[in-house]
Amino acid sequence: MENCRQVFVFALAWFCLPMLMARIPEEPAVPNQMVTTESTVIASTSATSELMYPPQNGPCFYATPEMCSDSLIHDPKYQVANCECRLHPVIPRSLICCNVTNLTNITSCQEPDSSEHWKNIHVRNASLEELDISNGFWKLFDSISITDGTLKRITREFTKFSATKCFNVSNNNLNEIQPRGFKNLMQLQVLDISYNNLSTIPNINKETNLTIDIRGNKDMLCKSVSETIDKGGLELNFVEPDKTYCLTNQTFNWFNSTDSVPLRQLYRMKQLQSECPTDCKCEVERMNYEQQNDEDGIPLLIFSAKVDCSNSHLTELPEKLPANTYSLNVSCNNITSLSALNVNPTYQQIIRLYADNNQISSLLDLEGTSFIEEFEVLSLRKNKLKSIPIYLLSNTLDKNPRGKMLYFEGNKLHCDCNSAKVLR
């Protein structure tokens, strides 16, 4: 390591450029639809796919606004004893509750047949501030939707053995959900808490495969999203991860800022460690805004990664690097070739390479690579280089010498008057 710290710089130029902004492939646009109506998108690095949840055939029961029309509300065929809710005209054992001002006007609904329980409920436009989910009335519903109202708080916990598969409280004024409120929802498949004022995601049962919609919560913290992703055994799918953002606030350990990060980028940052080569350390290096050619025209905050594989007993460059890797350190190994920069697609974004104290004897592997055209730093101190291909460096340095730094100290270079003149 001491040899690696000895610095003698043979610099062809000494200027600093801002780091090139990270690029990610464009991915298919996803329709802006709620999880309870049409589709969801799985957050991953692969092309987006859809999980179809039609209004009445999936886990979520959804009553359209038209279901709250006066004609249906006052139709005696759909009356329910002792409550303000009405039967759905088509879907059996399903309640529609409109403009409710008191929870008891819902929880007092009596089932028409005592041998069967209610299956679905959608409460629209309720003027309620608080929802106590420990009430046994909610326990047997497959789908619970309370949307487009004034709800601010969800208190207490669902009771044990609750059957709920879909819980939708979108388009309210929610700013608080009891952290352990959903721990007993062992069958939960869809959680829609979109378009509220939430900053955290409540705890989810770790055995649950969950589709979750958190769009429209402008104060949602990346720390909370990250902790949710990290829960053991949780297979988590986010709706529209490219258009859902979280805040990297001052208490988050990645960035000292309040920038908004798209969830897909958050996933990619979380994947760094799983994609990191063995015995290497991978870190998010910095973020850059990149203008996207989407319909919104909103710049996305894109991360770049640095990989440190120094002192890892390598005899060749790592087989694969994480996405968006711009800086690679493989110093103090036994690497003999740089051919991966020519043939390995995961090396295409490298612009800073530190490979001091290795066994590299030639730069010819760099000919024709994007690296030799775009590099900012090439550090090959204390290797086995005997000559430097003048034409290789001249082709790129003549075009744009600014910001390019070369470190060759400790190589036994053959130097004649011609090469010295050109290299200077």
Side-chain angles (χ1 to χ4, degrees), residues 119-161:
K119 184 177 181 181
N120 304 304
I121 186 170
H122 191 165
V123 182
R124 298 189 64 95
N125 311 312
S127 299
L128 304 170
E129 288 203 357
E130 185 173 292
L131 174 66
D132 180 358
I133 53 178
S134 67
N135 191 309
F137 174 78
W138 307 109
K139 179 177 180 178
L140 298 177
F141 282 100
D142 286 354
S143 176
I144 301 172
S145 296
I146 304 174
T147 70
D148 309 286
T150 61
L151 194 61
K152 292 183 178 179
R153 294 179 299 278
I154 295 179
T155 61
R156 306 186 72 176
E157 303 172 3
F158 276 98
T159 58
K160 289 185 177 180
F161 310 112

Side-chain angles (χ1 to χ4, degrees), residues 322-342:
N324 298 339
T325 299
Y326 276 63
S327 178
L328 174 64
N329 186 352
V330 290
S331 297
C332 301
N333 286 291
N334 291 301
I335 295 169
T336 60
S337 171
L338 298 176
S339 59
L341 280 87
N342 206 330

Side-chain angles (χ1 to χ4, degrees), residues 3 84 244 248 297 318 324 346 364 377 407-408 413:
N3 287 336
E84 292 185 6
T244 304
T248 58
N324 298 339
T346 67
L364 294 179
V377 178
Y407 300 78
F408 288 149
L413 297 172

Side-chain angles (χ1 to χ4, degrees), residues 157-424:
E157 303 172 3
F158 276 98
T159 58
K160 289 185 177 180
F161 310 112
S162 292
T164 305
K165 297 180 176 65
C166 174
F167 188 69
N168 175 10
V169 285
S170 60
N171 289 288
N172 282 286
N173 293 314
L174 276 172
N175 53 43
E176 180 184 351
I177 298 178
Q178 173 66 27
R180 294 173 56 83
F182 302 151
K183 70 181 182 67
N184 290 321
L185 296 184
M186 308 297 289
Q187 300 182 53
L188 188 66
Q189 298 175 26
V190 176
L191 175 62
D192 190 343
I193 55 175
S194 61
Y195 300 98
N196 282 289
N197 301 312
L198 295 167
S199 60
T200 59
I201 301 174
N203 295 333
I204 307 298
N205 185 280
K206 68 179 183 179
E207 301 301 325
T208 302
N209 295 332
L210 183 67
T211 295
I212 182 169
D213 192 346
I214 62 171
R215 295 174 297 168
N217 288 283
K218 296 181 180 179
D219 296 324
M220 182 61 65
L221 299 177
C222 291
K223 179 177 175 63
S224 176
V225 179
S226 178
E227 289 172 350
T228 301
I229 294 172
D230 284 341
K231 290 186 183 299
L234 180 61
E235 184 177 324
L236 191 64
N237 305 319
F238 281 103
V239 175
E240 292 193 348
D242 286 320
K243 297 181 180 180
T244 304
Y245 298 84
C246 60
L247 295 179
T248 58
N249 71 324
Q250 277 87 354
T251 62
F252 202 37
N253 59 5
W254 284 338
F255 309 104
N256 189 25
S257 70
T258 54
D259 287 321
S260 295
V261 177
L263 292 197
R264 193 178 299 283
Q265 291 301 313
L266 183 67
Y267 259 80
R268 287 175 176 168
M269 286 185 252
K270 298 296 294 181
Q271 289 171 345
L272 268 180
Q273 296 311 311
S274 63
E275 296 176 354
C276 197
T278 305
D279 298 325
C280 300
K281 183 170 70 173
C282 300
E283 299 177 354
V284 175
E285 183 175 34
R286 63 177 292 177
M287 304 290 287
N288 289 289
Y289 279 105
E290 178 182 348
Q291 186 67 44
Q292 299 293 292
N293 296 321
D294 60 18
E295 57 197 31
D296 297 326
I298 300 174
L300 293 182
L301 200 58
I302 308 297
F303 80 94
S304 62
K306 63 178 180 180
V307 177
D308 186 352
C309 298
S310 58
N311 290 283
S312 298
H313 308 289
L314 299 178
T315 57
E316 58 185 17
L317 291 174
E319 182 177 348
K320 185 178 180 181
L321 297 178
N324 298 339
T325 299
Y326 276 63
S327 178
L328 174 64
N329 186 352
V330 290
S331 297
C332 301
N333 286 291
N334 291 301
I335 295 169
T336 60
S337 171
L338 298 176
S339 59
L341 280 87
N342 206 330
V343 298
N344 191 324
T346 67
Y347 281 73
Q348 294 305 302
Q349 292 177 303
I350 295 292
I351 57 174
R352 292 182 297 280
L353 176 65
Y354 304 89
D356 304 332
N357 271 71
N358 278 284
Q359 306 296 317
I360 299 166
S361 60
S362 174
L363 297 180
L364 294 179
D365 289 329
L366 300 180
E367 186 172 2
T369 63
S370 58
F371 174 81
I372 203 62
E373 295 293 329
E374 305 291 342
F375 80 91
E376 291 179 359
V377 178
L378 174 58
S379 184
L380 294 171
R381 296 173 294 189
K382 297 187 180 300
N383 273 277
K384 302 296 183 182
L385 295 175
K386 294 182 179 180
S387 64
I388 299 174
I390 304 301
Y391 72 92
L392 185 64
L393 297 179
S394 295
N395 288 340
T396 182
L397 294 176
D398 288 347
K399 296 176 185 177
N400 181 22
R402 297 190 62 204
K404 298 185 184 298
M405 293 177 284
L406 295 168
Y407 300 78
F408 288 149
E409 179 264 329
N411 289 280
K412 296 181 179 180
L413 297 172
H414 171 72
C415 191
D416 55 31
C417 292
N418 184 56
S419 60
K421 179 180 178 180
V422 175
L423 284 174
R424 188 185 65 161

Side-chain angles (χ1 to χ4, degrees), residues 61-109:
F61 168 75
Y62 184 80
T64 62
E66 291 74 22
M67 291 293 173
C68 286
S69 65
D70 288 341
S71 59
L72 285 176
I73 288 177
H74 298 295
D75 192 326
K77 291 187 300 184
Y78 307 123
Q79 300 293 318
V80 178
N82 297 326
C83 78
E84 292 185 6
C85 300
R86 302 292 178 266
L87 295 173
H88 191 280
V90 178
I91 310 299
R93 292 183 288 156
S94 300
L95 290 172
I96 304 169
C97 313
C98 305
N99 310 316
V100 176
T101 57
N102 193 313
L103 267 179
T104 58
N105 296 335
I106 301 174
T107 56
S108 60
C109 293

